Amino acid sequence: MEFGVQISSAGLAEMKALATQAEALGFGVLMLADHIVYEGPEKQIDTSWPSYDAMVRAALLLEATSRVRVGHLVLCNLFRHPAITAQGILTLDHLSGGRAFCGIGTGWTATEFAMTGIPYPDMPTRLEMLDEALTVMKMLWSQERTTFTGRHYQLRDAILSPKPARQPEILLGGGGKGLLRVAAKHADVVNIIAAVGANGYISTAEAAKLTDESFRARVRFLREEAARHGRDGDAIRISNVAFTTMLTDSAEQTRNACEALAGFFRIPADAVPRAPLALVGTPDAVAAEIARRERDWGVSQIVFSAREPGLIERLAKDVLPLVR
């Protein structure tokens, strides 16, 4: 099992400190979001979120560390031409000696596109663009010259040099069947979340549909689709991000926390500890739930969305040793 930290809304100095702390505590991967503004559930915008460039932030974390892998959960394909994304990942790869990976998705926050005027096609078109973009990037990373004629991207004798130290690992994030079909063709790792692309925002009603059973169904669908493309579906690693992580000191505290979160997740309180987007409970209980997800869902990567140094430290000292 690999453990990671998604470093979200934080100043640059704070991000560096969290990165060095996470590496020292034994986490294996650091992830960053890619947004112009941060929008939470039901279109709640956090105007205090710093709009620092995603590639620059990744470079900052790679320079601050020496062992952890660094990438994104996830880059927005619509923000950059795939040749520019490939160039950015290549640069991070050489900066870090091969520690960078490419986490990418279709793009989903409609607010960002409305406020900037960046084109925001419908979901089927975005999926086509992501499919083509991944094809282009893999060609640019491996071929001396790339010629590609697609519906959305066209390259003629394109050069990208030098080549990466190794072919960058590709992580795709999302939850709809269309995204999983693209992932089945291209991804090394898939981070399964609630479907947000079609709506263009985080819907709590949609999040409630991501249950224990629906998560497993998405994994089965992904692996079946991979087989259709001649790939070994079992070789695609499954990633699970806990957007809400709460460590408690007693069963009573756990019950209170679950009751408080039940309304937000729109599920019964007793279902909260097994909700894919959360990890709530005492260290023993959270460790047991992680082990269950590894066993029942095939999860091999858990990512904690955590900003507080105290929570990162407690996870490393009280939870992770019980799972490893």
Side-chain angles (χ1 to χ4, degrees):
M1 178 69 73
E2 180 178 55
F3 295 100
V5 176
Q6 184 185 41
I7 297 178
S8 54
S9 51
L12 298 177
E14 185 182 357
M15 280 192 284
K16 287 179 66 175
L18 288 172
T20 55
Q21 178 197 27
E23 180 175 71
L25 290 169
F27 289 91
V29 61
L30 302 176
M31 299 187 182
L32 297 157
D34 181 23
H35 290 289
I36 302 170
V37 296
Y38 177 80
E39 184 176 282
E42 304 301 336
K43 303 183 181 180
Q44 296 297 310
I45 293 178
D46 180 0
T47 57
S48 68
W49 191 86
S51 300
Y52 298 130
D53 179 79
M55 291 291 189
V56 175
R57 285 185 291 140
L60 180 78
L61 299 193
L62 286 166
E63 283 287 272
T65 57
S66 61
R67 297 185 305 278
V68 294
R69 294 183 302 113
V70 175
H72 298 89
L73 190 64
V74 286
L75 291 170
C76 172
N77 183 53
L78 297 179
F79 287 169
R80 303 165 191 84
H81 188 281
I84 303 304
T85 302
Q87 181 188 45
I89 299 299
L90 166 66
T91 305
L92 295 174
D93 172 86
H94 280 265
L95 176 69
S96 64
R99 289 190 290 127
F101 66 90
C102 178
I104 194 166
T106 59
W108 60 270
T109 313
T111 298
E112 294 177 307
F113 297 92
M115 75 180 196
T116 59
I118 298 172
Y120 185 60
D122 60 22
M123 194 70 236
T125 303
R126 278 181 275 154
L127 288 165
E128 287 181 355
M129 293 176 72
L130 180 61
D131 187 10
E132 288 190 11
L134 287 162
T135 301
V136 165
M137 288 190 289
K138 290 192 291 187
M139 293 172 71
L140 287 167
W141 288 328
S142 61
Q143 299 182 5
E144 291 304 313
R145 292 178 181 267
T146 294
T147 295
F148 179 84
T149 303
R151 180 181 174 190
H152 307 285
Y153 305 110
Q154 297 82 39
L155 287 79
R156 180 179 298 175
D157 286 335
I159 299 169
L160 188 65
S161 181
K163 299 306 175 189
R166 59 178 177 80
Q167 187 84 346
E169 182 179 76
I170 292 172
L171 178 151
L172 291 190
K177 284 191 172 180
L179 185 284
L180 295 177
R181 289 189 180 99
V182 175
K185 290 176 61 177
H186 297 284
D188 301 297
V189 184
V190 180
N191 186 274
I192 297 177
I193 61 171
V196 294
N199 291 328
Y201 70 99
I202 300 172
S203 162
T204 51
E206 194 65 41
K209 297 177 184 178
L210 187 64
T211 63
D212 182 287
E213 174 52 39
S214 67
F215 193 101
R216 283 182 283 170
R218 283 167 167 81
V219 173
R220 288 194 298 270
F221 179 82
L222 169 70
R223 289 179 169 157
E224 289 166 0
E225 284 293 305
R228 290 183 57 248
H229 293 285
R231 299 186 67 199
D232 179 3
D234 290 334
I236 300 174
R237 294 189 287 126
I238 306 301
S239 175
N240 174 215
V241 59
F243 289 107
T244 300
T245 303
M246 297 178 66
L247 292 181
T248 65
D249 295 316
S250 66
E252 182 181 2
Q253 285 186 7
T254 299
R255 284 194 299 273
N256 292 337
C258 290
E259 288 171 3
L261 290 169
F264 171 76
F265 283 113
R266 298 190 180 188
I267 58 177
D270 60 2
V272 170
R274 298 165 75 90
L277 301 181
L279 279 168
V280 180
T282 63
D284 285 351
V286 168
E289 174 60 15
I290 291 172
R292 186 190 71 83
R293 295 181 186 192
E294 180 179 23
R295 181 183 65 250
D296 293 353
W297 300 354
V299 168
S300 60
Q301 182 186 77
I302 296 286
V303 182
F304 301 100
S305 185
R307 178 177 178 179
E308 304 83 3
L311 177 58
I312 293 173
E313 182 172 5
R314 193 175 181 202
L315 285 166
K317 292 184 176 181
D318 295 346
V319 177
L320 272 55
L322 301 177
V323 183
R324 287 178 171 145

